[in-house]
Amino acid sequence: MAERIIYLNNAATSWPKPEPVVNRVLWALKELNATPGRGGTAAASERVLFEAREVVAGFIGAGDSSRVIFTSNATAALNLAICGLLRSGDHVVTTSMDHNSVARPLARMEDTVGIEVSRVGADREGSVTADSILDAVRPHTALVILTHASNVTGTIQPVEEVGRRLRELEGKRPRLLVDAAQSAGILPIDVRVSGIDLLAVPGHKALYGPAGTGFLYIADDLVLDPLLEGGTGGRSTLRRQPDLLPERYESGTPNLPGIAGLAEAVKYVSRTGIDGIRRQESSLAAAVMEGLQDLPGVTLYGPCDPERQVAVISFRVDGLDPAEVSGFLEEVAGVQVRVGLHCSPFSHQTIGTYPEGTVRVSPGLFSTQEDIRALLDGLRQMLGMRRK
Ligand SMILES: Cc1ncc(COP(=O)(O)O)c(C=O)c1O
């Protein structure tokens, strides 16, 4: 059994969390005793919520912070965007690199609401072109969905180009929803510059916020149906859910310690600088890919190019189930990675690794070259034992 944990599973959730984030969550748990708008230290709680919204809005280039809706994760943000926007008869263009948190709400709506979905195929490296997305758009296309960076291969999609070209379309144009689960905090995102109408972000991955946090940005001219209806802390005489944002989409007691921590995390990432974070993660990704390429019987998937991907690397070892590889890495080398389909079956069909999936390595801000050496040493040890 290994003595220390080497965590290379940041694409699932980042760990460890920065000290200021931990301290801010503790502070909120100790000091805030009220739900915003509902008595006690409500004014302080409201301030924390408002400031968090401003910090997040600034980070993604949103002019109006009331368009930032806090959610419990990226899945909740994607569900709100998809289920809140689409109506019977709408057509959706998406890609074969979708996570199930996009694919499953779409599948349900195909079956029960009567929407139509075109899934644009990515190439074997997980890339889609802006041309193939635009070619799939029809007169009744209401929504285009792009996974900014794949959680299987790390492949980065051409969000800016698609956003710009959708804005150039004449007549009623489709809206652009971006799943930024693997990109927010690593790639710069400006919703206005990139023509993004809906941006779904987890707080707990590359933003280094607490689990149970995330948000959805909604463009100024969009009205969605809420997923949840109920108490909003004000306008209680209204029979139906108020139109006012952010209350329209945030019924019930919010995750105040989580949101306070998320705001601190966004400040931390901004202070550290996402260009520097990207450089550091790219150099770790390069070390993983170079090391894996030198190992006999190892196949790498995705672009294998740090310029075209984030630090998410999938591989397989000839003749071994991915679960055996990750089991060895965890038990003998103390290296934690993630194995299987990563909730993205279409991505694995695209790259030819369905249904077993791959072993996925995802270093983060606190990973080191020493961690990568431990991963590669562990794999060498495993391959050496097989040869004997
Ligand atoms: C591309 C992608 N989309 C959506 C999600 C869902 O994120 P969350 O766990 O925050 O709901 C993930 C999580 O792994 C992801 O990688």
Side-chain angles (χ1 to χ4, degrees):
M1 199 69 181
E3 280 167 21
R4 69 183 180 115
I5 292 174
I6 294 161
Y7 187 77
L8 295 175
N9 190 18
N10 287 272
T13 201
S14 55
W15 186 82
K17 303 297 179 186
E19 204 59 27
V21 175
V22 174
N23 291 338
R24 187 68 174 161
V25 173
L26 283 176
W27 170 86
L29 277 171
K30 283 183 186 161
E31 302 298 331
L32 301 177
N33 67 15
T35 302
R38 290 139 168 114
T41 59
S45 302
E46 278 158 28
R47 205 163 43 247
V48 167
L49 257 188
F50 176 76
E51 282 170 9
R53 241 181 270 284
E54 290 278 299
V55 167
V56 168
F59 186 72
I60 59 166
D64 174 0
S65 68
S66 71
R67 314 297 306 186
V68 171
I69 308 304
F70 288 117
T71 62
S72 50
N73 45 40
T75 303
L78 288 162
N79 270 265
L80 172 55
I82 291 168
C83 304
L85 180 84
L86 294 174
R87 302 278 176 276
S88 175
D90 281 345
H91 174 243
V92 180
V93 175
T94 186
T95 75
S96 68
M97 299 308 283
D98 283 346
H99 190 272
N100 268 342
S101 51
V102 169
R104 284 184 172 161
L106 287 179
R108 182 184 62 75
M109 293 189 89
E110 277 183 298
D111 294 349
T112 62
V113 177
I115 63 161
E116 214 188 322
V117 178
S118 298
R119 185 161 281 115
V120 173
D123 65 18
R124 293 277 287 196
E125 294 180 353
S127 290
V128 289
T129 62
D131 281 345
S132 60
I133 298 286
L134 270 288
D135 284 349
V137 169
R138 303 192 204 147
H140 63 301
T141 306
L143 187 63
V144 169
I145 308 177
L146 279 183
T147 303
H148 198 179
S150 162
N151 65 316
V152 174
T153 57
T155 317
I156 300 168
Q157 308 298 357
V159 165
E160 290 80 12
E161 187 182 353
V162 171
R164 180 176 49 74
R165 288 178 60 183
L166 287 176
R167 299 242 156 184
E168 287 166 4
L169 293 179
E170 282 172 13
K172 191 170 171 288
R173 68 173 176 85
R175 300 301 188 142
L176 176 61
L177 163 61
V178 175
D179 174 354
Q182 300 297 339
S183 59
I186 296 167
L187 303 175
I189 300 176
D190 186 308
V191 288
R192 285 187 293 186
V193 170
S194 298
I196 297 171
D197 297 293
L198 294 154
L199 179 75
V201 178
H204 62 100
K205 297 188 196 262
L207 290 180
Y208 293 89
T213 60
F215 63 88
L216 178 70
Y217 159 78
I218 306 173
D220 293 345
D221 57 346
L222 256 185
V223 180
L224 308 178
D225 282 344
L227 275 190
L228 292 174
E229 287 147 312
T232 51
R235 294 177 177 71
S236 300
T237 55
L238 292 180
R239 185 171 160 268
R240 296 279 301 266
Q241 191 74 355
D243 288 337
L244 205 76
L245 266 70
E247 291 86 343
R248 179 173 174 77
Y249 307 109
E250 285 186 4
S251 288
T253 300
N255 174 7
L256 215 48
I259 293 169
L262 170 59
E264 200 58 39
V266 171
K267 287 190 211 163
Y268 180 88
V269 165
S270 302
R271 262 198 321 273
T272 309
I274 65 170
D275 290 348
I277 295 174
R278 168 102 171 108
R279 266 197 307 280
Q280 188 195 328
E281 291 200 11
S282 289
S283 91
L284 294 168
V288 173
M289 292 188 284
E290 279 161 26
L292 289 176
Q293 265 156 354
D294 286 345
L295 297 178
V298 169
T299 307
L300 269 160
Y301 298 90
C304 299
D305 174 358
E307 291 290 309
R308 292 175 51 214
Q309 69 182 90
V310 297
V312 173
I313 301 119
S314 265
F315 72 95
R316 270 178 38 173
V317 180
D318 284 353
L320 282 183
D321 190 289
E324 291 177 72
V325 179
S326 81
F328 183 92
L329 283 175
E330 175 143 6
E331 277 161 38
V332 180
V335 177
Q336 292 186 353
V337 292
R338 187 168 165 206
V339 71
L341 292 176
H342 315 99
C343 306
S344 272
F346 293 110
S347 306
H348 284 281
Q349 282 166 1
T350 304
I351 64 171
T353 50
Y354 187 85
E356 300 83 6
T358 52
V359 183
R360 182 184 73 183
V361 181
S362 51
L365 179 57
F366 300 108
S367 306
T368 62
Q369 294 287 351
E370 199 188 324
D371 295 341
I372 307 304
R373 277 194 291 278
L375 164 80
L376 296 170
D377 286 347
L379 286 168
R380 272 186 216 105
Q381 190 185 348
M382 186 191 75
L383 293 170
M385 283 166 64
R386 260 182 101 199
R387 275 197 296 272
K388 279 184 197 149

